[in-house]
Structures are given as structure tokens and as C-alpha cells.
Amino acid sequence: MADPAPRSPLAGHRHRLAAATRASRGAVRLAEIPFLTLLDVRLDPKGAAAGAVGLALDLHLPVQPHTVGRSGDLTALWLGPDEWLLVAPPGGERRLERRIRDAAGDEPVSVVDVSAQHTTLLVSGPRARDLLSHGCALDLHPRVFGPGRCARTTLGRTQVVLVAREPHRAGLRVLVRSSYAGYLTDWLLDAATEYLRDTAAP
């Protein structure tokens, strides 16, 4: 008997996110991006493993705080001086982990698959940053938190990773633990109420 199709953490909230997007007439757009590959990688940024892994992935691991490295469909988010979160399309966890470990060889490296522990919300639209600012202490103005920036922070009292997308891909990604995804969705929908009212009039 075939295994049942996986169910995303926010499958039961999909209609609510879509309804809020419609009610705002595009002022805010909310959607889940489920099942992304997420690997937490820790290594010495000055050691041999950093260069070898970067070469194997064709991706420079960013060393500047709160910055993002990209190569094709692979993204590296700086989380700390020796820690990155690698983000890739669904289904590539084992292959990506193997490439990292093979490249590192005998050099010390930690690779933890956290894909199943998280989901991703896409928050976009002209009022997206205003919406997130209701519950985030960071300055989210595009001049400060523009494309190529990321941060581990708190949103609506929930630990998240925020990622500003490329200029041609509007909005921000919000990576959140699956166990808190429903709560954060409720918070976002409640915080978005004023934009639904503002756009309700003809």
C-alpha cells in the first residue's frame, strides 16, 4: 500500500490565507511554501571545509552577518559566525547532505536536516513589511532589510528566520517551526485585519 501524501503544517489554513489575500485586494498576500529542503550547517568559516563545501555546491557561504548567498535554486542564510541554513527545493535533503559531507571529508562539520521541523510562509504585497512590523522589532524598511538580507528574530513572539527575497521576487519568506506555524498564521491574519478593512471600500 502506497504511503499517504505528506500533509503540510498549514494545509488546514490554506483557505484562510487565500481568503485574506482576496479580501485585501492584494495589499497583503499570504501563502505557505511547504516542504522546502532545510539543512542547518555548522563549520569553521576559516577552515578547509568551508572552501571545499563552497566549491562543491558552487555557493559561497556568506560570512557577513545577516546576509544571503545564492546559486541557482540553493540559498545559504547566515545564522551565526559558524552556522548557516541551506534552503533548496523539496526532496533534495539526502543528496545535499551527502555532497556537503563528501566535500568536507575528514574536516569537522555538522549537518542537520531540519526540513520536517519547519515550514515557510510567503508574505508579500505593498503592505507586507507594515504587517510584519506589527510584531517584529527589526527595521524592515527596504533600505535596511532589502534583498540579500536575512535575520533570526522574533515575530509575534515566535522565533523565525526572515529572508528578504530578490528584487524580481517580491515579499519576504518567514521560516517557522511547524509546531508554531498555526499560531503564527493566526497572528498574521489578526494583524492583517486593518488592511482588509482599508481595502474593503470601493
Side-chain angles (χ1 to χ4, degrees):
M1 185 175 179
D3 292 334
R7 180 178 172 85
S8 74
L10 294 178
H13 298 266
R14 195 169 299 152
H15 68 288
R16 299 174 63 212
L17 296 171
T21 298
R22 290 192 301 269
S24 78
R25 298 182 181 179
V28 293
R29 294 188 287 272
L30 305 171
E32 183 189 17
I33 309 175
F35 309 126
L36 290 177
T37 293
L38 301 173
L39 296 185
D40 186 272
V41 177
R42 303 197 70 156
L43 52 78
D44 181 356
K46 297 181 180 179
V53 169
L55 186 63
L57 301 180
D58 191 25
L59 173 70
H60 177 67
L61 295 174
V63 294
Q64 293 298 319
H66 311 299
T67 58
V68 176
R70 292 188 176 92
S71 178
D73 291 332
L74 182 61
T75 302
L77 311 178
W78 184 97
L79 296 185
D82 64 349
E83 183 179 9
W84 298 264
L85 186 66
L86 298 188
V87 185
E93 300 90 342
R94 292 181 181 178
R95 183 172 62 255
L96 184 57
E97 180 176 354
R98 185 165 58 249
R99 288 171 64 189
I100 295 169
R101 294 193 181 280
D102 288 347
D106 294 332
E107 294 293 321
V109 61
S110 168
V111 185
V112 180
D113 180 6
V114 295
S115 308
Q117 301 172 15
H118 293 76
T119 192
T120 303
L121 280 156
L122 174 61
V123 183
S124 60
R127 305 305 296 271
R129 291 172 186 266
D130 296 330
L131 170 59
L132 295 175
S133 292
H134 282 296
C136 181
L138 295 179
D139 184 350
L140 298 179
H141 192 282
R143 287 195 298 266
V144 178
F145 197 77
R149 305 289 293 180
C150 67
R152 184 154 47 185
T153 185
T154 301
L155 176 64
R157 299 183 179 180
T158 304
Q159 290 292 320
V160 300
V161 177
L162 287 183
V163 186
R165 306 181 84 203
E166 304 93 322
H168 63 286
R169 294 182 176 179
L172 296 96
R173 285 186 173 185
V174 182
L175 283 65
V176 60
R177 283 188 174 271
S178 299
S179 55
Y180 293 103
Y183 164 81
L184 185 61
T185 296
D186 289 340
W187 181 89
L188 284 168
L189 292 172
D190 182 66
T193 300
E194 66 177 280
Y195 308 117
L196 309 190
R197 287 199 304 266
D198 288 346
T199 56

